[in-house]
């Protein structure tokens, strides 16, 4: 299989820049948006006042760097490979460890869909832990930490904006478990990013096929597309055929950390028969994925046998796929969940590759009715206990959260999580603030996401308009990402995150001065903003652009406002 | 001109019902959604458990009542005409009062576009005030008050849901100025509705042409369309040609209260030359519109001459159309605003027709940068002063609010309004919580709208995806209305509004039981939800519908969850 390059055109009038760190390999990618000058007529003469470039956070990776030749069939440059090598605490394995992984590799029927380039996996040397938390606790500032410190600050320094974010601050937050850098040593293509409440709010996108739809090419396109529009991390939730091969294609072409829910693949391996799931199959799956380069695993280890009964009291039962699978397993076997009983062993696998654990909320509410109930809060206590366990193994931790929560119950949710889980970063799915708007759940949930992230949630998982109804397509991914970029940015403004308001101010100034192109280029979706404007102007004279069709020239407040300014001057 | 009837198909599997009040004319329209039964297999037999009908608030008027024949060229039934007559404090005028109105009527060139049916206007008898506030203060419960009390409660009584909303409660809230029923005696087609923080949160939609686009037929279609999707009130912000005739068409076919900004038409009368605006032209415009049946006027009487300088300190000046016009007028004439100096006279006109005043926020911030600044808050003080003046004339008052406000500044905004304006209902435009997403401002602002209405804002004015870019089309109106229905409903849930959660619970139960049709029918946009689901199922076997393509059958948490329930039972 050869995949054609995914077409993501560059953002207009902007350029990829790299900020050099102290570590020679640290070249932090950002996007610089150029602006047109402000034009004034003074004493009858046209005078131009330049407007400064605006630097924005850039998740699109090499795809928007014209200097890098992209070939989806080769994968992205492996930037972090040398950083990992330098630490000299890992080794390249002679072969992949997973039995299943070897089978897939050796199956000639899969040649057609296999990613064309193979890399041997890397693992910690015997007796070593290679997680960012491990280094942080030792007082080491890694290149990854320096990278994210620079990345979070954009051009704050040049603007004289005070910032608390230094490489040492990053290290301390990671050491304390309040932030994570998900960076598997086998995913050197990813650009480091940080998730923690004191950093800019991040957003995750979900892609992945299901038994009924979409193939590898489509999923890779979605991955690239999601990064292009602003997804900070990416979860491949594939549950259909060829999960192993699909994932390889995605990871090798993914400039952001990638997560999975390994139980999905484990279940596929037993043809969807929950009864046949075993710890051994799951363990092999973890190792398979660690060696492919997955950066974080959602593990529903907080779902216990005793929770099964609690769910029966609910309106919508258990709506977490992983949670429902594990609950069913516990009921069928009348045993405690193997994810819970083998959790230490899991952590000892993860710290060999630096895979973070995202503790799944199997008991998250699936409706307004079930929000903040006993099942949900009891599980949160268990997640707190598991957090401490993971930290004892130097494994970085995220805590997953709901779901469906009415606005008045969001603060209690956040508070409960902070206390029960010792300030480990919270990563929520929305939450949706009402159940009554299927086809618009990117909006019902953007409201909840903005509120909960303003209260300290570190990463929000996007919801697309297709939630509850079907698998999202490219357009849904774009709608979902932008809705969540909005929620995340609104939260950053609310938190007073250093530099957050620079882009708002620049765009508003451009708007006020009728610099239409700058208004578009500074926006989250330049293409769509421009289209809406131009479509309506098609029948309008273009000699004067100091208005839009919304109000027309005589009723444009900004136009009048500027006339007043002129009149006040006289 | 003959307009073809606007096609709004009925909501699926639901029926228009009328709840009879004590007053014989009070028949309150609601929509009852039927549900399919829950099917279970018990002892090998198929057993059906019925699901109750869900009654929802209905703003669509006669358009969704198959028993009423709609003819856009005749206008809607005039339900409230007899209520007004009964009060015996009004008289039908021999002719329309406005000079301009007569000119338009007598101009044969306008025959082609004039609404075909003419009604003589009605006005309070000499010495009478005919506002709902006037009656409320006298202790009278009007049919309008009874209507809204029934309307707010839906079927709460039948469900045993406790409610504080009685006709007497409505009366007392109106008497205190904390709520309004905007119901011009010349708009008897409108179904009464109430705006106040103790009632369900309402949403306003804006339509109206501008100099560059759209004609009468299109604007009437937008009006009907906006009511169909859930708009509670409607503002006609036309600024282009034939404002008078466009408005007549809309009012005669509008089942919800309609508002305008009279200064727009006044300005059109002087060909957009602010210098030529006079109190006399404005006054004639007010009377012209009072007699057509406009239910509330946005009047920017709080914009004072001294504010002009304050605006110069801003990033985006004055972004209120009406505000900027009046500021310019003050500067050009070096005089105080005639809206402010003639405010008592304005009120004495309004209380003759029961037109509410919506005190415009001419100084609302147009960017995150300008939020909660001195100009905005100073104006709010003036609006408080004008509120008391209006109340002295028994005129009902709304206070308009921003605009662009970051999340952390929203509570202060709400608090300031409550105190400065003596708890008169707040009516905000969003607010947008960030400036960086043109083309998605229905989302940036739905976040702010949900938050501010949960804190007590009584009505939120929708923003469409085209805000800042162009005039919205039908699709934008739909997107804007649904985004704001979501915000309003999320706020109602948050406030614990009686009965608000009934629909959420019903939809969630339907979702959990894979009653797809019920899930669609109970949603805010059944058509779109159904389309998204069906499009994806086109290639899927339809024998089993206990999943969607998002997760596929093996990974549907709800399906697994129900299997667990079965297994737990065994």
């Amino acid at each position: 299989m050869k995949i054609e390059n995914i077409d993501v055109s560059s953002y207009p009038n902007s350029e990829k820049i790299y900020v050099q760190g102290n570590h020679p390999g640290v070249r932090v990618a950002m996007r610089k948006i150029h602006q047109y000058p402000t034009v004034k007529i003074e004493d009858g003469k046209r005078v131009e006042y330049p407007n400064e470039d605006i630097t924005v956070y850039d998740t699109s990776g090499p795809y928007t760097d014209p200097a890098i030749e992209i070939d989806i069939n080769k994968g992205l440059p492996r930037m972090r490979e040398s950083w990992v090598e330098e630490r000299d605490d890992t080794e390249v394995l002679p072969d992949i460890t997973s039995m299943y992984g070897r089978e897939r590799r050796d199956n000639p029927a899969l040649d057609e869909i296999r990613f064309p380039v193979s890399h041997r996996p890397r693992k910690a040397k015997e007796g070593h832990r290679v997680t960012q938390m491990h280094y942080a606790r030792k007082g080491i500032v890694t290149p990854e930490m320096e990278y994210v410190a620079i990345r979070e600050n954009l051009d704050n320094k040049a603007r004289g904006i005070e910032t608390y974010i230094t490489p040492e601050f990053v290290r301390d937050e990671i050491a304390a478990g309040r932030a994570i850098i998900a960076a598997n040593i086998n995913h050197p293509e990813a650009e480091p990013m940080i998730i923690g409440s004191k950093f800019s709010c991040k957003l995750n996108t979900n892609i992945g096929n299901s038994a009924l739809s979409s193939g590898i090419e489509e999923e890779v396109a979605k991955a690239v597309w999601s990064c292009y529009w602003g997804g900070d991390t990416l979860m491949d939730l594939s549950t259909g055929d060829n999960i192993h091969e699909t994932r390889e294609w995605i990871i090798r072409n993914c400039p952001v950390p990638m997560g999975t829910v390994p139980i999905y693949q484990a279940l596929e391996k037993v043809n969807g028969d929950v009864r046949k799931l075993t710890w051994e199959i799951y363990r092999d799956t973890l190792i398979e994925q660690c060696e492919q380069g997955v950066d974080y695993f959602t593990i529903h280890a907080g779902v216990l046998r005793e929770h099964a009964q609690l769910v029966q009291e609910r309106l919508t039962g258990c709506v977490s796929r992983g949670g429902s699978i594990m609950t069913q397993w516990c009921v069928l076997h009348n045993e405690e969940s193997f994810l819970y009983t083998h959790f230490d062993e899991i952590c000892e696998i993860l710290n060999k590759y630096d895979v973070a654990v995202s503790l799944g909320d199997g008991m998250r509410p699936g409706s307004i009715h079930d929000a903040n109930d006993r099942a949900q809060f009891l599980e949160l206590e268990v997640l707190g206990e598991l957090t401490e366990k993971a930290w004892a193994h130097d494994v970085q931790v995220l805590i997953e959260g709901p779901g469906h929560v009415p606005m008045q119950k969001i603060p209690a949710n956040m508070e409960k999580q902070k206390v029960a889980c010792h300030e480990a970063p919270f990563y929520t799915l929305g939450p949706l603030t009402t159940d009554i708007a299927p086809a618009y759940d990117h909006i019902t949930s953007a409201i909840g996401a903005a509120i909960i992230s303003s209260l300290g949630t570190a990463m929000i998982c996007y919801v697309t308009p297709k939630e509850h109804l079907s698998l999202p397509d490219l357009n849904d991914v774009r709608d979902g990402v932008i809705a969540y970029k909005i929620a995340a940015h609104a939260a950053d403004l609310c938190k007073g995150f250093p530099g957050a308001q620079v882009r708002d101010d620049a765009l508003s100034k451009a708007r006020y001065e009728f610099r239409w192109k700058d208004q578009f280029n500074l926006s989250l979706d330049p293409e769509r903003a421009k289209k809406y404007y131009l479509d309506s102007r098609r029948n309008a004279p273009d000699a004067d652009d100091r208005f839009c069709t919304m109000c027309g020239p005589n009723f444009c407040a900004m136009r009048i406002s500027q006339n007043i300014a002129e009149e006040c001057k006289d």
Side-chain angles (χ1 to χ4, degrees), chain A residues 118 200 364 502 504 557:
Chain A
S118 91
S200 62
R364 72 164 171 268
V502 168
D504 294 78

Side-chain angles (χ1 to χ4, degrees), chain A residues 304-322:
Chain A
L304 303 185
R305 181 167 42 166
E306 68 190 84
H307 294 154
Q309 275 309 324
L310 291 177
V311 170
Q312 306 312 316
E313 296 161 19
R314 285 184 157 185
L315 182 62
T316 49
C318 172
V319 298
S320 150
R321 296 196 234 170

Side-chain angles (χ1 to χ4, degrees), chain A residues 369-431:
Chain A
H369 180 275
D370 295 343
N372 293 22
D373 73 351
R374 206 162 137 247
Q376 189 196 343
F377 279 5
L378 272 182
E379 185 190 37
L380 214 43
E381 304 277 352
V382 183
L383 299 188
E385 179 196 314
L386 294 168
T387 299
E388 290 184 299
K389 260 194 195 180
W391 286 349
H393 296 276
D394 289 342
V395 171
Q396 304 185 91
V397 177
L398 287 175
I399 307 291
E400 296 189 9
H404 295 237
V405 185
M407 287 166 72
Q408 81 277 14
K409 292 190 177 174
I410 292 177
N413 223 294
M414 186 69 228
E415 208 39 57
K416 175 82 185 163
Q417 188 273 343
K418 268 186 201 163
V419 174
C421 300
H422 322 290
E423 300 193 73
F426 205 19
Y427 162 35
T428 61
L429 179 66

Side-chain angles (χ1 to χ4, degrees), chain A residues 285-306:
Chain A
T285 307
L286 285 186
I287 295 171
E288 170 198 348
Q289 298 195 12
C290 283
E291 296 187 357
Q292 281 191 294
V294 174
D295 299 286
Y296 60 102
F297 290 144
T298 293
I299 301 183
H300 297 88
V303 175
L304 303 185
R305 181 167 42 166
E306 68 190 84

Side-chain angles (χ1 to χ4, degrees), chain A residues 7 22 55 77 103 127 177 192 213 234 237 244 338 363 367 388 393 398 449 510 553:
Chain A
D7 183 35
N22 287 326
T55 305
E103 263 173 45
S213 55
L234 181 73
L237 303 184
H244 180 89
F338 58 78
M363 295 297 130
S367 56
E388 290 184 299
H393 296 276
L398 287 175

Side-chain angles (χ1 to χ4, degrees), chain A residues 207-210 219 235-243 246-247 250 261 264-265 268 321:
Chain A
I207 61 161
N209 62 349
S210 75
E219 292 309 316
M235 291 194 82
D236 174 13
L237 303 184
S238 290
T239 56
D241 292 333
N242 308 317
I243 296 183
T246 305
R247 187 169 46 237
I250 295 173
V261 189
Y264 296 172
Q265 191 186 2
E268 289 288 358
R321 296 196 234 170

